[in-house]
mmCIF file of all heavy atoms in Angstrom:
data_model
loop_
_atom_site.group_PDB
_atom_site.id
_atom_site.type_symbol
_atom_site.label_atom_id
_atom_site.label_comp_id
_atom_site.label_asym_id
_atom_site.label_seq_id
_atom_site.Cartn_x
_atom_site.Cartn_y
_atom_site.Cartn_z
ATOM 1 N N LEU A 6 8.697 -3.636 13.448
ATOM 2 C CA LEU A 6 7.333 -3.249 13.124
ATOM 3 C C LEU A 6 6.670 -2.884 14.571
ATOM 4 O O LEU A 6 6.843 -3.581 15.433
ATOM 5 C CB LEU A 6 6.564 -4.498 12.566
ATOM 6 C CG LEU A 6 7.049 -5.041 11.331
ATOM 7 C CD1 LEU A 6 6.231 -6.384 10.932
ATOM 8 C CD2 LEU A 6 7.114 -4.132 10.193
ATOM 9 N N TYR A 58 0.901 -0.702 11.012
ATOM 10 C CA TYR A 58 2.245 -0.669 11.697
ATOM 11 C C TYR A 58 3.096 0.295 10.897
ATOM 12 O O TYR A 58 2.852 0.509 9.788
ATOM 13 C CB TYR A 58 2.831 -2.036 11.510
ATOM 14 C CG TYR A 58 2.143 -3.169 12.286
ATOM 15 C CD1 TYR A 58 0.995 -3.850 11.648
ATOM 16 C CD2 TYR A 58 2.545 -3.514 13.560
ATOM 17 C CE1 TYR A 58 0.403 -4.765 12.357
ATOM 18 C CE2 TYR A 58 1.823 -4.495 14.220
ATOM 19 C CZ TYR A 58 0.777 -5.104 13.683
ATOM 20 O OH TYR A 58 0.113 -6.127 14.341
ATOM 21 N N LEU A 70 2.699 -0.778 7.035
ATOM 22 C CA LEU A 70 2.170 -2.037 6.834
ATOM 23 C C LEU A 70 0.786 -2.197 7.491
ATOM 24 O O LEU A 70 0.630 -1.811 8.555
ATOM 25 C CB LEU A 70 3.117 -3.165 7.587
ATOM 26 C CG LEU A 70 2.596 -4.606 7.522
ATOM 27 C CD1 LEU A 70 2.656 -5.260 6.117
ATOM 28 C CD2 LEU A 70 3.508 -5.415 8.521
ATOM 29 N N LEU A 72 -2.295 -4.815 8.228
ATOM 30 C CA LEU A 72 -2.748 -6.322 8.163
ATOM 31 C C LEU A 72 -4.112 -6.417 8.651
ATOM 32 O O LEU A 72 -4.625 -5.649 9.522
ATOM 33 C CB LEU A 72 -1.911 -7.113 9.210
ATOM 34 C CG LEU A 72 -0.336 -7.072 9.001
ATOM 35 C CD1 LEU A 72 0.362 -7.804 10.126
ATOM 36 C CD2 LEU A 72 -0.096 -7.693 7.651
ATOM 37 N N LEU A 79 -4.178 -14.245 7.823
ATOM 38 C CA LEU A 79 -3.578 -12.977 7.896
ATOM 39 C C LEU A 79 -3.461 -12.373 6.473
ATOM 40 O O LEU A 79 -2.899 -12.974 5.608
ATOM 41 C CB LEU A 79 -2.144 -13.097 8.467
ATOM 42 C CG LEU A 79 -1.330 -11.867 8.855
ATOM 43 C CD1 LEU A 79 -2.071 -11.013 9.959
ATOM 44 C CD2 LEU A 79 0.027 -12.201 9.317
ATOM 45 N N ILE A 81 -2.340 -9.275 4.014
ATOM 46 C CA ILE A 81 -1.536 -8.159 3.941
ATOM 47 C C ILE A 81 -2.263 -7.078 3.004
ATOM 48 O O ILE A 81 -2.431 -7.264 1.905
ATOM 49 C CB ILE A 81 -0.176 -8.416 3.314
ATOM 50 C CG1 ILE A 81 0.593 -9.431 4.100
ATOM 51 C CG2 ILE A 81 0.655 -7.234 3.150
ATOM 52 C CD1 ILE A 81 1.796 -10.018 3.368
ATOM 53 N N ILE A 84 1.467 -2.802 2.041
ATOM 54 C CA ILE A 84 2.881 -2.645 2.480
ATOM 55 C C ILE A 84 3.526 -1.575 1.489
ATOM 56 O O ILE A 84 3.555 -1.813 0.259
ATOM 57 C CB ILE A 84 3.661 -3.943 2.473
ATOM 58 C CG1 ILE A 84 5.115 -3.763 2.927
ATOM 59 C CG2 ILE A 84 3.657 -4.727 1.154
ATOM 60 C CD1 ILE A 84 5.897 -5.016 3.295
ATOM 61 N N LYS A 98 12.414 -8.780 4.121
ATOM 62 C CA LYS A 98 12.464 -8.985 5.631
ATOM 63 C C LYS A 98 11.200 -8.971 6.383
ATOM 64 O O LYS A 98 10.843 -9.733 7.074
ATOM 65 C CB LYS A 98 13.422 -7.970 6.231
ATOM 66 C CG LYS A 98 14.140 -8.471 7.483
ATOM 67 C CD LYS A 98 15.360 -7.663 7.797
ATOM 68 C CE LYS A 98 16.141 -8.306 8.944
ATOM 69 N NZ LYS A 98 17.313 -7.540 9.359
ATOM 70 N N VAL A 99 10.316 -7.880 5.879
ATOM 71 C CA VAL A 99 9.024 -7.761 6.452
ATOM 72 C C VAL A 99 8.167 -9.054 6.182
ATOM 73 O O VAL A 99 7.495 -9.565 6.985
ATOM 74 C CB VAL A 99 8.310 -6.463 5.996
ATOM 75 C CG1 VAL A 99 6.869 -6.465 6.421
ATOM 76 C CG2 VAL A 99 9.058 -5.240 6.596
ATOM 77 N N LEU A 100 8.192 -9.431 4.929
ATOM 78 C CA LEU A 100 7.468 -10.547 4.479
ATOM 79 C C LEU A 100 7.808 -11.751 5.189
ATOM 80 O O LEU A 100 7.068 -12.700 5.587
ATOM 81 C CB LEU A 100 7.453 -10.776 2.941
ATOM 82 C CG LEU A 100 6.682 -9.693 2.202
ATOM 83 C CD1 LEU A 100 7.118 -9.592 0.671
ATOM 84 C CD2 LEU A 100 5.197 -9.938 2.352
ATOM 85 N N ASN A 101 9.089 -11.987 5.417
ATOM 86 C CA ASN A 101 9.638 -13.189 6.094
ATOM 87 C C ASN A 101 9.243 -13.209 7.460
ATOM 88 O O ASN A 101 8.970 -14.248 8.083
ATOM 89 C CB ASN A 101 11.169 -13.278 5.925
ATOM 90 C CG ASN A 101 11.579 -13.927 4.651
ATOM 91 O OD1 ASN A 101 10.883 -14.688 4.066
ATOM 92 N ND2 ASN A 101 12.753 -13.382 4.162
ATOM 93 N N LEU A 102 9.113 -12.077 8.177
ATOM 94 C CA LEU A 102 8.589 -12.001 9.494
ATOM 95 C C LEU A 102 7.161 -12.453 9.511
ATOM 96 O O LEU A 102 6.722 -13.197 10.489
ATOM 97 C CB LEU A 102 8.781 -10.519 10.067
ATOM 98 C CG LEU A 102 10.035 -10.064 10.477
ATOM 99 C CD1 LEU A 102 10.007 -8.517 10.790
ATOM 100 C CD2 LEU A 102 10.569 -10.785 11.610
ATOM 101 N N LEU A 103 6.335 -12.040 8.596
ATOM 102 C CA LEU A 103 4.920 -12.432 8.551
ATOM 103 C C LEU A 103 4.737 -13.878 8.140
ATOM 104 O O LEU A 103 3.929 -14.576 8.785
ATOM 105 C CB LEU A 103 4.223 -11.538 7.483
ATOM 106 C CG LEU A 103 4.159 -10.069 7.796
ATOM 107 C CD1 LEU A 103 3.562 -9.272 6.639
ATOM 108 C CD2 LEU A 103 3.460 -9.755 9.106
ATOM 109 N N ILE A 104 5.644 -14.416 7.400
ATOM 110 C CA ILE A 104 5.660 -15.851 6.989
ATOM 111 C C ILE A 104 5.922 -16.643 8.339
ATOM 112 O O ILE A 104 5.299 -17.614 8.497
ATOM 113 C CB ILE A 104 6.633 -16.164 5.851
ATOM 114 C CG1 ILE A 104 6.021 -15.584 4.530
ATOM 115 C CG2 ILE A 104 6.870 -17.615 5.797
ATOM 116 C CD1 ILE A 104 7.126 -15.504 3.482
ATOM 117 N N LYS A 105 6.901 -16.202 9.036
ATOM 118 C CA LYS A 105 7.268 -16.923 10.312
ATOM 119 C C LYS A 105 6.082 -16.915 11.265
ATOM 120 O O LYS A 105 5.651 -17.933 11.966
ATOM 121 C CB LYS A 105 8.443 -16.287 10.950
ATOM 122 C CG LYS A 105 9.739 -16.715 10.286
ATOM 123 C CD LYS A 105 10.956 -16.073 10.943
ATOM 124 C CE LYS A 105 12.235 -16.271 10.185
ATOM 125 N NZ LYS A 105 13.341 -15.452 10.691
ATOM 126 N N GLN A 106 5.334 -15.782 11.326
ATOM 127 C CA GLN A 106 4.271 -15.575 12.172
ATOM 128 C C GLN A 106 3.142 -16.556 11.870
ATOM 129 O O GLN A 106 2.546 -17.187 12.790
ATOM 130 C CB GLN A 106 3.643 -14.177 12.158
ATOM 131 C CG GLN A 106 2.446 -13.863 13.054
ATOM 132 C CD GLN A 106 2.029 -12.493 13.030
ATOM 133 O OE1 GLN A 106 2.802 -11.540 12.631
ATOM 134 N NE2 GLN A 106 0.774 -12.254 13.361
ATOM 135 N N VAL A 107 2.832 -16.672 10.518
ATOM 136 C CA VAL A 107 1.570 -17.576 10.103
ATOM 137 C C VAL A 107 2.032 -19.103 10.312
ATOM 138 O O VAL A 107 1.193 -19.824 10.500
ATOM 139 C CB VAL A 107 1.107 -17.227 8.716
ATOM 140 C CG1 VAL A 107 0.516 -15.868 8.778
ATOM 141 C CG2 VAL A 107 2.138 -17.418 7.717
ATOM 142 N N LEU A 108 3.243 -19.384 10.133
ATOM 143 C CA LEU A 108 3.727 -20.681 10.417
ATOM 144 C C LEU A 108 3.465 -21.121 11.888
ATOM 145 O O LEU A 108 3.007 -22.197 12.184
ATOM 146 C CB LEU A 108 5.210 -20.914 10.188
ATOM 147 C CG LEU A 108 5.636 -21.043 8.658
ATOM 148 C CD1 LEU A 108 7.117 -21.018 8.480
ATOM 149 C CD2 LEU A 108 4.987 -22.268 8.074
ATOM 150 N N THR A 110 1.182 -19.607 13.899
ATOM 151 C CA THR A 110 -0.242 -19.495 14.206
ATOM 152 C C THR A 110 -1.181 -20.472 13.255
ATOM 153 O O THR A 110 -2.424 -20.543 13.515
ATOM 154 C CB THR A 110 -0.822 -18.177 14.048
ATOM 155 O OG1 THR A 110 -0.532 -17.630 12.712
ATOM 156 C CG2 THR A 110 -0.128 -17.160 14.915
ATOM 157 N N LEU A 114 -1.789 -16.963 4.596
ATOM 158 C CA LEU A 114 -1.237 -15.664 4.308
ATOM 159 C C LEU A 114 -1.585 -15.208 2.940
ATOM 160 O O LEU A 114 -1.226 -15.892 2.011
ATOM 161 C CB LEU A 114 0.311 -15.644 4.622
ATOM 162 C CG LEU A 114 0.991 -14.310 4.401
ATOM 163 C CD1 LEU A 114 0.470 -13.241 5.409
ATOM 164 C CD2 LEU A 114 2.518 -14.434 4.647
ATOM 165 N N TYR A 150 2.940 -23.452 1.401
ATOM 166 C CA TYR A 150 3.973 -23.984 2.275
ATOM 167 C C TYR A 150 4.207 -25.416 1.747
ATOM 168 O O TYR A 150 3.398 -26.164 1.299
ATOM 169 C CB TYR A 150 3.419 -23.995 3.725
ATOM 170 C CG TYR A 150 3.152 -22.678 4.190
ATOM 171 C CD1 TYR A 150 1.924 -22.092 4.199
ATOM 172 C CD2 TYR A 150 4.238 -21.864 4.686
ATOM 173 C CE1 TYR A 150 1.668 -20.747 4.635
ATOM 174 C CE2 TYR A 150 4.003 -20.568 5.089
ATOM 175 C CZ TYR A 150 2.741 -20.057 5.077
ATOM 176 O OH TYR A 150 2.530 -18.709 5.554
#
Side-chain angles (χ1 to χ4, degrees):
L6 302 177
Y58 296 83
L70 173 68
L72 301 173
L79 186 62
I81 303 170
I84 180 169
K98 205 165 188 179
V99 169
L100 289 165
N101 281 328
L102 287 172
L103 297 175
I104 290 166
K105 285 179 187 171
Q106 179 181 335
V107 297
L108 283 172
T110 61
L114 182 60
Y150 298 96

